[in-house]
Amino acid sequence: MRLRIRYTAQPRPALVLTDTPRPRCPHCRGEGGHEHTSVTAEGEFDGIDWYPCPCWGEARRWSLLPLPRLPLRWRRDRHLYSDEPPF
């Protein structure tokens, strides 16, 4: 297992310890799986299927530290950007 710490916002903000794919895996080359484009019999695009590699356990994650939620006014103000010049 190759573990790393990541931030997650779902279902609640927290720092989690998660597994990562093997960097030298001969099957997925460190990407963690394979994408396969699906096409219908008429030749229409039907979506992309994801097949995880056995070298990586997507479900292996442990919550280390739950983080407090930001107050609503801070969350709302954070995404407001002005296109006005500073002068």
Side-chain angles (χ1 to χ4, degrees):
M1 261 198 288
R2 290 131 324 270
L3 301 174
R4 68 177 170 174
I5 296 175
R6 296 189 67 192
Y7 169 81
T8 183
Q10 298 295 330
R12 178 188 165 144
L15 292 179
V16 294
L17 189 63
T18 184
D19 188 21
T20 58
R22 250 184 23 218
R24 293 191 176 105
C25 177
H27 303 291
C28 70
R29 296 187 193 114
E31 295 178 13
H34 306 280
E35 288 182 350
H36 176 62
T37 305
S38 298
V39 180
T40 63
E42 293 82 30
E44 297 287 323
F45 176 74
D46 195 28
I48 296 175
D49 297 326
W50 174 259
Y51 301 106
C53 185
C55 76
W56 177 43
E58 280 183 287
R60 283 188 259 181
R61 56 178 31 200
W62 301 273
S63 180
L64 295 177
L65 179 67
L67 299 173
R69 295 181 192 260
L70 290 175
L72 184 59
R73 61 187 165 137
W74 289 357
R75 284 184 272 167
R76 189 173 39 231
D77 293 342
R78 186 173 59 175
H79 298 292
L80 296 177
Y81 297 105
S82 174
D83 58 353
E84 297 292 322
F87 44 87

